[in-house]
Amino acid sequence: MKPPICCICHSPAGKDGGLVKFSDYTPLPPKMVGHPHGLAWCCGKHLSAAQALTHLSMADAIAKISL
């Protein structure tokens, strides 16, 4: 699992942040350790914007929010 760093602004996700599953989310196989594709940490400032774009791939959502 990646540390809780916002995928948009690269600051700590903090207590108001959280994980967001995007449309390209792929869970890890059983007993595999790592961070699943399509799952990203977002800080409190970017969490609601990211949650509104879960129908997009993670890369597309990040690009849209970063504009």
Side-chain angles (χ1 to χ4, degrees), residues 25-46:
Y25 170 73
T26 306
L28 294 174
K31 298 185 182 183
M32 181 174 257
V33 176
H35 191 85
H37 180 77
L39 182 68
W41 284 102
C42 294
C43 67
K45 179 181 173 184
H46 295 111

Side-chain angles (χ1 to χ4, degrees), residues 20-26 37-38 53-58 60:
V20 179
K21 284 184 192 177
F22 294 97
S23 66
D24 58 342
Y25 170 73
T26 306
H37 180 77
L53 298 175
T54 58
H55 62 285
L56 299 176
S57 70
M58 184 173 74
D60 289 345

